[in-house]
Structure formats: structure tokens, C-alpha cells
Amino acid sequence: MSYGIMWIVIAVFTLVTEMISLGLTSIWFTVGALAAAIAAFLGAKLWLQVLLFVVISTVMLVAMRPIAKKYLKVGSVKTNAESYIGRIEKVRTTIDNDAGTGMLKMGDVEWRAVSEDGSVIPEGAYVRIQKIEGTKLFVIAETEG
């Protein structure tokens, strides 16, 4: 098998890997492998082919990945939990940050609740969810339910 064919096989492999992962991880190596394949078909020595592959892949990765991530929003997957932000819910267990208590129940899931301003919020009161950190909901008291 010629080196040109070998580089084409590498390019196809890295392209298929990228199509499966969709993480902008191997597309850069596809470009490098195609450059090396062109060099091989033009009669370049193996060391030059490898050098082209490494340099072009590295340049593409360093220069283009941040730009592509910014515009394509790769790796930014919203979770269902983020849809809870802004919801008004009833307090199941009194929220007291100092005592370490506070629970809300949404659907079948109980969440630990923390008062964002540090105030005690009694059981049965309504709160608005401000943010989520891990398994904790940060809430503020709501005047109406």
C-alpha cells in the first residue's frame, strides 16, 4: 500500500471518528492527513508527509477549535434541570441555611433548597428558583404562590 493511500485511510478514519463523536476532536487530523496524502501523491518523502500531518493538524487544532466551539456551541448541552430556573415552587421542608434544612419536591425528585439571601423560608411558602449548583436549588421567597 502506498503512503498516499495510507494517509487517505487515516483521513477517513479520523473523519468517521469525528462524525461519531461530534466533539471537534479529530476533524483537525483529517485535514492534516489529507495534506500528507497530497504530498505523498506528489512524491514527497515520508518525513515530509509526517511533518505536514503534524504541523497542519496542530495549527488547525490550535487556531480553529476555539473559533469553531464559539460559533457551533459544541459541548454546550442544556440539561432538563436548567428549565427549573425561574419556576415557582412550594417549600416542602423549612429552608434554613444555618440549620442545613430545606427541601422542594418537583415531580418525583426532592431537591435540597438554599435561601439565596440567607432568610428562613417556612414550609408551605412559595419560592422562585434562581439557580442550580449540583443538587442544590438556590431560591428566593415569593410573595404570591
Side-chain angles (χ1 to χ4, degrees), residues 48-113:
L48 181 57
Q49 296 169 36
V50 172
L51 182 66
L52 281 170
F53 173 73
V54 170
V55 169
I56 290 175
S57 296
T58 302
V59 167
M60 291 294 293
L61 177 65
V62 171
M64 298 301 295
R65 190 166 197 267
I67 295 168
K69 280 189 78 167
K70 178 180 176 182
Y71 290 105
L72 298 176
K73 304 287 187 216
V74 172
S76 175
V77 178
K78 292 200 178 219
T79 64
N80 288 337
E82 289 177 7
S83 67
Y84 295 157
I85 296 172
R87 281 179 54 170
I88 297 174
E89 295 293 332
K90 191 173 184 178
V91 176
R92 184 176 179 99
T93 305
T94 299
I95 299 171
D96 185 341
N97 295 358
D98 294 333
T101 62
M103 297 294 283
L104 299 180
K105 186 171 183 179
M106 293 189 292
D108 294 336
V109 179
E110 286 194 345
W111 289 78
R112 179 155 161 21

Side-chain angles (χ1 to χ4, degrees), residues 2 9 11 17 46 49 90 100 103 107 110 143:
S2 76
V9 169
T17 301
L46 180 59
Q49 296 169 36
K90 191 173 184 178
M103 297 294 283
E110 286 194 345
T143 53

Side-chain angles (χ1 to χ4, degrees), residues 9-19 26-27 29-31 33:
V9 169
I10 291 171
V12 169
F13 175 77
T14 56
L15 182 62
V16 168
T17 301
E18 180 63 35
M19 291 169 66
S26 61
I27 191 71
F29 303 109
T30 303
V31 176

